[in-house]
Coordinates of all heavy atoms in Angstrom, one line a residue:
W1 N 11.4 0.4 -2.4 CA 12.5 -0.5 -2.8 C 13.5 0.3 -3.6 O 14.8 0.1 -3.4 CB 12.0 -1.6 -3.5 CG 12.9 -2.5 -4.1 CD1 13.8 -3.4 -3.4 CD2 13.3 -2.6 -5.5 NE1 14.6 -4.1 -4.3 CE2 14.4 -3.6 -5.5 CE3 12.9 -2.2 -6.6 CZ2 15.0 -4.0 -6.7 CZ3 13.4 -2.6 -7.8 CH2 14.5 -3.4 -7.8
R2 N 13.1 1.1 -4.5 CA 14.0 1.9 -5.4 C 14.8 2.9 -4.7 O 16.0 3.0 -4.9 CB 13.2 2.6 -6.4 CG 12.7 1.7 -7.5 CD 11.9 2.3 -8.6 NE 12.8 3.3 -9.3 CZ 12.4 4.3 -10.0 NH1 11.1 4.6 -10.0 NH2 13.2 5.2 -10.5
E3 N 14.1 3.5 -3.5 CA 14.9 4.4 -2.7 C 15.9 3.7 -1.9 O 17.1 4.2 -1.8 CB 14.0 5.2 -1.8 CG 13.1 6.3 -2.6 CD 14.0 7.3 -3.2 OE1 14.9 7.8 -2.5 OE2 13.7 7.7 -4.3
K4 N 15.6 2.5 -1.3 CA 16.5 1.8 -0.5 C 17.7 1.2 -1.3 O 18.8 1.0 -0.9 CB 15.8 0.6 0.2 CG 14.8 1.0 1.3 CD 14.2 -0.1 1.9 CE 13.1 0.3 2.9 NZ 12.3 -0.8 3.3
R5 N 17.3 0.9 -2.6 CA 18.3 0.3 -3.5 C 19.5 1.3 -3.9 O 20.6 1.0 -4.1 CB 17.8 -0.2 -4.8 CG 18.6 -1.0 -5.6 CD 17.8 -1.6 -6.8 NE 17.5 -0.4 -7.6 CZ 17.0 -0.5 -8.8 NH1 16.8 -1.7 -9.3 NH2 16.8 0.6 -9.5
K6 N 19.2 2.6 -3.7 CA 20.2 3.6 -4.0 C 21.2 3.6 -2.9 O 22.4 3.9 -3.2 CB 19.4 5.1 -4.1 CG 18.7 5.2 -5.3 CD 18.0 6.6 -5.3 CE 17.2 6.7 -6.5 NZ 16.4 8.0 -6.5
E7 N 20.8 3.4 -1.7 CA 21.7 3.4 -0.5 C 22.6 2.1 -0.5 O 23.8 2.3 -0.3 CB 20.9 3.5 0.7 CG 20.1 4.8 0.9 CD 19.2 4.7 2.0 OE1 19.2 3.7 2.8 OE2 18.3 5.6 2.2
R8 N 22.0 0.9 -0.7 CA 22.8 -0.3 -0.7 C 22.1 -1.3 -1.6 O 20.8 -1.2 -1.8 CB 23.0 -0.8 0.7 CG 21.7 -1.2 1.4 CD 21.9 -1.6 2.8 NE 20.6 -1.7 3.6 CZ 19.8 -2.7 3.5 NH1 20.0 -3.7 2.8 NH2 18.7 -2.6 4.2
P9 N 22.8 -2.3 -2.1 CA 22.1 -3.3 -2.9 C 21.1 -4.1 -2.1 O 21.4 -4.6 -1.0 CB 23.2 -4.2 -3.4 CG 24.5 -3.6 -3.0 CD 24.2 -2.5 -2.0
I10 N 19.9 -4.2 -2.5 CA 18.8 -4.9 -1.8 C 18.0 -5.7 -2.8 O 17.7 -5.2 -4.0 CB 18.0 -4.0 -1.0 CG1 17.0 -4.8 -0.1 CG2 17.3 -3.0 -1.8 CD1 16.3 -3.8 0.9
E11 N 17.7 -6.9 -2.5 CA 16.9 -7.8 -3.4 C 15.4 -7.4 -3.4 O 14.9 -7.0 -2.3 CB 17.0 -9.2 -3.1 CG 18.4 -9.8 -3.4 CD 18.5 -11.2 -3.2 OE1 17.4 -11.9 -3.2 OE2 19.6 -11.7 -3.0
F12 N 14.7 -7.6 -4.4 CA 13.3 -7.3 -4.5 C 12.6 -8.5 -3.8 O 12.8 -9.7 -4.2 CB 12.8 -7.2 -6.0 CG 11.4 -6.8 -6.1 CD1 11.0 -5.5 -6.1 CD2 10.3 -7.8 -6.2 CE1 9.6 -5.2 -6.2 CE2 9.0 -7.5 -6.4 CZ 8.7 -6.2 -6.3
S13 N 11.8 -8.3 -2.8 CA 11.1 -9.4 -2.1 C 9.6 -9.5 -2.6 O 8.8 -8.6 -2.3 CB 11.1 -9.1 -0.6 OG 10.3 -10.0 0.1
V14 N 9.3 -10.5 -3.2 CA 7.9 -10.8 -3.6 C 6.9 -10.8 -2.4 O 5.8 -10.3 -2.5 CB 7.8 -12.0 -4.5 CG1 6.4 -12.3 -5.0 CG2 8.7 -11.8 -5.7
L15 N 7.4 -11.5 -1.3 CA 6.5 -11.6 -0.2 C 6.2 -10.2 0.4 O 5.1 -9.9 0.8 CB 7.3 -12.5 0.9 CG 6.4 -12.8 2.1 CD1 5.1 -13.6 1.7 CD2 7.2 -13.5 3.1
E16 N 7.2 -9.4 0.5 CA 6.9 -8.0 1.1 C 6.1 -7.2 0.1 O 5.2 -6.4 0.6 CB 8.3 -7.3 1.3 CG 9.0 -7.8 2.5 CD 10.3 -7.0 2.8 OE1 10.4 -5.8 2.3 OE2 11.2 -7.6 3.4
A17 N 6.3 -7.3 -1.2 CA 5.4 -6.7 -2.2 C 4.0 -7.1 -2.0 O 3.1 -6.3 -2.1 CB 6.0 -6.9 -3.6
M18 N 3.8 -8.4 -1.9 CA 2.4 -8.9 -1.7 C 1.8 -8.4 -0.4 O 0.6 -8.1 -0.4 CB 2.4 -10.5 -1.8 CG 2.7 -11.0 -3.1 SD 2.8 -12.8 -3.3 CE 1.9 -13.4 -1.9
W19 N 2.6 -8.4 0.6 CA 2.1 -7.8 2.0 C 1.7 -6.4 1.8 O 0.7 -5.9 2.3 CB 3.1 -8.0 3.0 CG 2.8 -7.3 4.3 CD1 3.3 -6.2 4.8 CD2 1.6 -7.7 5.1 NE1 2.6 -5.7 5.9 CE2 1.5 -6.6 6.1 CE3 0.7 -8.6 5.1 CZ2 0.7 -6.6 7.2 CZ3 -0.2 -8.6 6.2 CH2 -0.2 -7.7 7.2
E20 N 2.6 -5.5 1.1 CA 2.2 -4.2 0.9 C 0.9 -4.0 0.1 O 0.1 -3.1 0.3 CB 3.4 -3.4 0.3 CG 4.5 -3.1 1.2 CD 4.2 -2.1 2.3 OE1 3.3 -1.2 2.1 OE2 4.7 -2.2 3.4
A21 N 0.8 -4.8 -1.0 CA -0.4 -4.7 -1.9 C -1.6 -5.2 -1.0 O -2.6 -4.4 -1.2 CB -0.2 -5.7 -3.0
L22 N -1.5 -6.1 -0.2 CA -2.7 -6.6 0.5 C -3.0 -5.6 1.5 O -4.2 -5.3 1.7 CB -2.4 -8.0 1.2 CG -3.6 -8.6 2.0 CD1 -4.7 -8.8 1.0 CD2 -3.1 -9.8 2.7
S23 N -2.1 -5.1 2.2 CA -2.4 -4.1 3.4 C -2.9 -2.8 2.7 O -3.8 -2.1 3.3 CB -1.2 -3.7 4.2 OG -0.2 -3.1 3.4
G24 N -2.5 -2.5 1.5 CA -3.0 -1.3 0.8 C -4.4 -1.5 0.3 O -5.3 -0.6 0.5
G25 N -4.8 -2.7 -0.1 CA -6.1 -3.0 -0.5 C -7.1 -3.0 0.7 O -8.2 -2.4 0.7
V26 N -6.7 -3.5 1.8 CA -7.5 -3.6 3.0 C -7.7 -2.2 3.6 O -8.7 -1.7 3.9 CB -6.9 -4.6 4.0 CG1 -7.6 -4.3 5.4 CG2 -7.0 -6.0 3.6
T27 N -6.6 -1.4 3.5 CA -6.7 0.0 4.0 C -7.6 0.8 3.2 O -8.5 1.6 3.7 CB -5.2 0.7 4.0 OG1 -4.4 -0.1 4.8 CG2 -5.3 2.1 4.5
A28 N -7.5 0.6 1.9 CA -8.4 1.4 0.9 C -9.9 1.0 1.2 O -10.7 1.9 1.2 CB -8.0 1.2 -0.5
I29 N -10.2 -0.3 1.4 CA -11.6 -0.7 1.5 C -12.1 -0.1 3.0 O -13.2 0.4 3.0 CB -11.7 -2.2 1.4 CG1 -11.5 -2.6 0.0 CG2 -13.1 -2.6 2.0 CD1 -11.5 -4.1 -0.2
G30 N -11.2 -0.2 3.9 CA -11.6 0.3 5.3 C -11.9 1.7 5.3 O -12.9 2.3 5.8
V31 N -11.0 2.6 4.7 CA -11.2 4.0 4.5 C -12.4 4.3 3.8 O -13.2 5.2 4.1 CB -10.0 4.7 4.0 CG1 -10.2 6.1 3.6 CG2 -8.8 4.6 4.9
F32 N -12.7 3.6 2.7 CA -13.8 3.8 1.8 C -15.1 3.5 2.6 O -16.0 4.4 2.6 CB -13.8 2.9 0.6 CG -15.0 3.1 -0.3 CD1 -15.1 4.2 -1.2 CD2 -16.1 2.2 -0.4 CE1 -16.2 4.4 -2.0 CE2 -17.1 2.3 -1.1 CZ -17.2 3.5 -2.0
W33 N -15.2 2.5 3.4 CA -16.3 2.3 4.3 C -16.6 3.4 5.3 O -17.7 3.8 5.6 CB -16.3 0.9 5.0 CG -16.7 -0.3 4.1 CD1 -17.4 -0.3 2.9 CD2 -16.3 -1.7 4.3 NE1 -17.5 -1.5 2.4 CE2 -16.8 -2.4 3.3 CE3 -15.6 -2.3 5.3 CZ2 -16.7 -3.8 3.1 CZ3 -15.4 -3.7 5.1 CH2 -16.0 -4.4 4.2
I34 N -15.5 3.8 5.9 CA -15.6 4.8 6.9 C -16.2 6.1 6.3 O -17.1 6.7 6.8 CB -14.3 5.1 7.6 CG1 -13.9 3.9 8.5 CG2 -14.3 6.4 8.4 CD1 -12.5 4.0 9.0
L35 N -15.7 6.5 5.1 CA -16.1 7.7 4.4 C -17.6 7.6 3.9 O -18.3 8.5 3.9 CB -15.2 8.0 3.3 CG -13.8 8.5 3.7 CD1 -13.0 8.6 2.4 CD2 -13.9 9.7 4.5
E36 N -18.0 6.3 3.4 CA -19.3 6.0 3.0 C -20.2 6.2 4.3 O -21.4 6.7 4.1 CB -19.5 4.6 2.5 CG -19.1 4.6 1.0 CD -20.1 5.4 0.2 OE1 -21.3 5.2 0.3 OE2 -19.6 6.2 -0.6
G37 N -19.8 5.8 5.4 CA -20.6 5.9 6.6 C -20.9 7.3 7.0 O -21.9 7.7 7.5
Y38 N -19.9 8.2 6.7 CA -20.1 9.7 6.9 C -20.8 10.4 5.9 O -21.1 11.6 5.9 CB -18.8 10.3 7.2 CG -18.2 10.1 8.6 CD1 -17.1 9.3 8.8 CD2 -18.8 10.7 9.7 CE1 -16.6 9.0 10.2 CE2 -18.3 10.5 11.0 CZ -17.3 9.7 11.2 OH -16.8 9.5 12.4
G39 N -21.2 9.7 4.8 CA -21.9 10.2 3.7 C -21.1 11.1 2.7 O -21.6 11.9 2.0
V40 N -19.8 10.8 2.6 CA -19.0 11.5 1.7 C -19.3 11.0 0.2 O -19.6 9.8 0.0 CB -17.5 11.3 2.0 CG1 -16.6 11.9 1.0 CG2 -17.2 11.7 3.4
N41 N -19.3 11.9 -0.7 CA -19.4 11.6 -2.1 C -18.6 10.4 -2.5 O -17.4 10.3 -2.1 CB -19.1 12.8 -3.0 CG -19.3 12.6 -4.4 OD1 -19.5 11.4 -4.9 ND2 -19.3 13.7 -5.2
E42 N -19.2 9.5 -3.3 CA -18.5 8.2 -3.6 C -17.2 8.4 -4.4 O -16.2 7.8 -4.1 CB -19.4 7.4 -4.5 CG -20.5 6.6 -3.7 CD -21.8 7.5 -3.6 OE1 -21.8 8.6 -4.2 OE2 -22.7 7.0 -3.0
L43 N -17.1 9.4 -5.3 CA -16.0 9.6 -6.1 C -14.9 10.2 -5.2 O -13.7 9.8 -5.3 CB -16.2 10.5 -7.3 CG -17.0 9.9 -8.4 CD1 -17.4 10.9 -9.5 CD2 -16.4 8.6 -9.0
A44 N -15.2 11.1 -4.3 CA -14.2 11.6 -3.4 C -13.8 10.6 -2.4 O -12.6 10.5 -2.2 CB -14.8 12.8 -2.5

């Protein structure tokens, strides 16, 4: 949002922010489960 705002005025969208947060959380959990399945160290 900050990068796009430099080019042209753009409003902050709470809905898009929530979508990015939710997709980030789901992606993180999915990647964590995949790595756990392969036996990667938990902290890594």
